[in-house]
Amino acid sequence: MGRGRQKAKHTKIARELKSFSPSVNYAALERELASHDDDEYVDKWADQYDDEDEDEEDAALNSAMR
């Protein structure tokens, strides 16, 4: 088997990919992208851990009361 058969196969695949045009639901894509623009970063684990800032503030208040 020579280079000719391999090249022919690659040429066939390249032509198929060039003419391939998938159907896209642009309305659904626009809705999905628009919904992410309004969202800010939300940490899904935030409610499981105390904030470090609150710990420092509590420590400062406790030391000031003593």
Side-chain angles (χ1 to χ4, degrees), residues 7-64:
K7 183 178 179 192
K9 185 175 181 181
H10 285 287
T11 303
K12 178 183 173 188
I13 292 171
R15 283 191 190 124
E16 289 173 0
L17 290 174
K18 185 176 180 182
S19 64
F20 177 70
S21 103
S23 62
V24 177
N25 185 348
Y26 290 106
L29 179 61
E30 184 178 3
R31 280 192 308 269
E32 182 179 347
L33 292 175
S35 68
H36 291 294
D37 289 342
D38 298 334
D39 296 339
E40 290 186 26
Y41 175 75
V42 178
D43 187 2
K44 63 182 179 180
W45 306 106
D47 57 345
Q48 295 183 2
Y49 301 100
D50 294 332
D51 288 339
E52 292 177 7
D53 296 338
E54 290 176 4
D55 293 340
E56 292 172 4
E57 291 172 7
D58 291 341
L61 288 174
N62 288 337
S63 64

